[in-house]
Amino acid sequence: AQSVAQPEDQVNVAEGNPLTVKCTYSVSGNPYLFWYVQYPNRGLQFLLKYITGDNLVKGSYGFEAEFNKSQTSFHLKKPSALVSDSALYFCAVRDIAGNTPLVFGKGTRLSVIA
Amino acid sequence: DGGITQSPKYLFRKEGQNVTLSCEQNLNHDAMYWYRQDPGQGLRLIYYSQIVNDFQKGDIAEGYSVSREKKESFPLTVTSAQKNPTAFYLCASSGQLNTGELFFGEGSRLTVL
């Protein structure tokens, strides 16, 4: 079975500071990993994904994520946070070997304070 | 513009009534999905379909039904058997089941009065 954990319900960061939103996963084989962002009363928007290759993945709006196989993590990062980054962030995983849909974490609410 | 259209955006229902949520996509995607979102619980999969005339139950299918008669359309019916239907419902599609990212609609908020 595949699963995702986002250990923090809420992350607060000052504008201009670096931000990290944590994600760990569990799959039986190798993972495909995704990050999405959701603004209030909207659908989810794709930020970035790791399929294979370079462990550091760059995505939309200046976000990046680092795949760490030994720690089974895929933390989302941004060097300098903006107030407009405040939103709900979801990590998702799928097992490469399986033929099953994405499994999502419970989400982390990011609040960037001016 | 290409994308996924969900309707209605807001819907109120009396207890005991069935209601159908519409989801249409013009992305030519094979796979479509319905998720339910509740505060603090993330997204939970209700049903998904990889191809026309075929669909599979997700983690919380009880009280819901779907059909996939056309590639573009994947409507979700919330039946009276669903014990707690008040939620935000999200439809998504993807071009490839395994590696493709999901494209989401704007969601439908259902409130049972």
Side-chain angles (χ1 to χ4, degrees):
Chain A
Q2 51 201 20
S3 65
V4 172
Q6 293 182 243
E8 301 156 317
D9 292 334
Q10 173 93 29
V11 171
N12 299 317
V13 64
E15 187 176 30
N17 283 3
L19 70 87
T20 299
V21 182
K22 296 179 180 178
C23 171
T24 59
Y25 67 89
S26 174
V27 295
S28 55
N30 291 314
Y32 292 140
L33 292 155
F34 300 77
W35 275 103
Y36 289 83
V37 61
Q38 184 183 35
Y39 297 98
N41 294 311
R42 304 292 298 275
L44 276 67
Q45 297 177 31
F46 169 74
L47 281 178
L48 51 81
K49 67 180 178 182
Y50 171 82
I51 302 298
T52 187
D54 194 348
N55 289 344
L56 184 63
V57 179
K58 294 188 182 297
S60 307
Y61 312 119
F63 284 95
E64 58 187 30
E66 186 167 12
F67 171 62
N68 187 316
K69 188 172 183 178
S70 63
Q71 297 186 7
T72 62
S73 67
F74 190 57
H75 301 331
L76 182 70
K77 300 182 179 184
K78 188 174 182 181
S80 179
L82 301 172
V83 171
S84 57
D85 292 329
S86 299
L88 189 57
Y89 290 81
F90 289 96
C91 183
V93 70
R94 172 187 294 137
D95 193 322
I96 287 177
N99 193 29
T100 55
L102 281 181
V103 172
F104 286 83
K106 294 187 176 182
T108 298
R109 187 163 301 281
L110 172 67
S111 180
V112 181
I113 305 162
Chain B
D1 287 348
I4 299 179
T5 302
Q6 288 187 242
S7 62
K9 189 168 179 65
Y10 298 95
L11 185 62
F12 297 89
R13 187 195 91 176
K14 293 182 180 180
E15 282 193 25
Q17 288 181 335
N18 292 355
V19 61
T20 297
L21 307 180
S22 170
C23 179
E24 303 278 333
Q25 55 102 354
N26 60 6
L27 300 168
N28 199 33
H29 285 169
D30 286 319
M32 296 188 74
Y33 313 80
W34 275 104
Y35 287 90
R36 170 178 170 144
Q37 184 177 16
D38 297 282
Q41 296 196 48
L43 273 67
R44 294 182 290 168
L45 183 65
I46 304 173
Y47 270 98
Y48 66 102
S49 168
Q50 299 182 44
I51 198 169
V52 175
N53 292 323
D54 187 47
F55 49 83
Q56 288 78 40
K57 293 182 178 180
D59 300 318
I60 56 165
E62 184 176 353
Y64 300 97
S65 66
V66 294
S67 63
R68 186 85 186 277
E69 298 176 359
K70 298 186 300 181
K71 187 175 186 177
E72 304 79 26
S73 179
F74 192 42
L76 173 73
T77 297
V78 184
T79 74
S80 56
Q82 168 50 232
K83 299 300 182 188
N84 185 19
T86 294
F88 191 52
Y89 291 89
L90 288 161
C91 180
S93 71
S94 69
Q96 297 169 296
L97 182 62
N98 280 345
T99 63
E101 60 266 31
L102 269 61
F103 292 80
F104 282 84
E106 291 294 288
S108 293
R109 186 169 297 281
L110 172 63
T111 303
V112 175
L113 303 173

